[in-house]
Amino acid sequence: MNIRPIRYDHPDARKLDEEVQAEYAERYGEEDLTPMDAAHFDPPHGLYLIAYDTDGTPIASGGWRSQERSEEGYEDGDAEIKRMFVVRQARGRGLARRILAALEDSARQAGRVRMVMETGTEQPEAIALYTSSGYTPVPKFGLYRFEETSRCYAKSLKDAPPRP
C-alpha cells in the first residue's frame, strides 16, 4: 500500500469521490453539497492524499483545506478535513488512520493550528475514528451547521509534535 499526494481533480480522485458521494446518498438520501474545488487542496493551503493498493488501485482518500474565521463558524488557522473515505473492500486495515495522521502532520507543517471536520450521525465509524484520534465535539460549522444530523469535531495541532 502506498499513500501519495494527488490533485483533487485527478481521475483517481474523481473515481473515489463518486464512490463516497454514492455512499452519502445511501446513508443520507443525498450527496454532499459542500462546494469543493481542486485548488482548495493545493499546498501549502491544503493537501489531498490517495492510498493505492499493491496493484495500483485507488482504495482510500482524504484531504485538508485551509479555513479562516467566517460566518460559517470556522476559526483562523483551521484545517478542514474533507473526503476521508475507504472503499468497502479495504476497510478495517487502518488506512483512514494512516491518512488522518499524514493530513494532521501536513497541516501542522503548513502552520495550521486546528484540524476540524464535520460528519453525520449516519457515519458512526467516522465518529469513532475521530474521537479515538483525539478529536472532541465543537460548535457546528460549515454548510451543514444547522442540520440535526451534523456532528463537528476538532483537534489542536499545537499540542503534538509531527510524527516521524
Side-chain angles (χ1 to χ4, degrees), residues 31-52:
E31 294 182 352
D32 180 3
L33 303 175
T34 304
M36 304 274 280
D37 184 287
H40 293 166
F41 300 99
D42 289 346
H45 305 289
L47 179 69
Y48 187 77
L49 300 172
I50 292 184
Y52 290 88

Side-chain angles (χ1 to χ4, degrees), residues 104-135:
E104 290 174 356
D105 288 344
S106 167
R108 186 180 299 106
Q109 291 167 2
R112 301 278 96 191
V113 297
R114 183 175 82 146
M115 291 297 276
V116 298
M117 54 77 53
E118 186 270 338
T119 190
T121 56
E122 298 303 312
Q123 293 172 272
E125 59 283 285
I127 292 170
L129 168 70
Y130 292 111
T131 57
S132 70
S133 298
Y135 288 73

Side-chain angles (χ1 to χ4, degrees), residues 24-133:
Y24 292 150
E26 181 182 310
R27 292 182 187 220
Y28 297 101
E30 67 179 358
E31 294 182 352
D32 180 3
L33 303 175
T34 304
M36 304 274 280
D37 184 287
H40 293 166
F41 300 99
D42 289 346
H45 305 289
L47 179 69
Y48 187 77
L49 300 172
I50 292 184
Y52 290 88
D53 214 342
T54 54
D55 66 359
T57 302
I59 55 173
S61 65
W64 70 268
R65 61 185 184 170
S66 296
Q67 295 286 0
E68 302 300 339
R69 182 178 305 276
S70 74
E71 53 189 47
E72 283 194 340
Y74 297 101
E75 298 293 331
D76 288 341
D78 280 353
E80 181 186 22
I81 297 169
K82 295 302 293 179
R83 296 301 184 261
M84 285 289 292
F85 178 67
V86 179
V87 298
R88 285 189 171 121
Q89 64 271 25
R91 291 179 184 166
R93 295 169 34 187
L95 294 172
R97 199 167 297 280
R98 287 182 60 190
I99 289 173
L100 181 60
L103 295 174
E104 290 174 356
D105 288 344
S106 167
R108 186 180 299 106
Q109 291 167 2
R112 301 278 96 191
V113 297
R114 183 175 82 146
M115 291 297 276
V116 298
M117 54 77 53
E118 186 270 338
T119 190
T121 56
E122 298 303 312
Q123 293 172 272
E125 59 283 285
I127 292 170
L129 168 70
Y130 292 111
T131 57
S132 70
S133 298

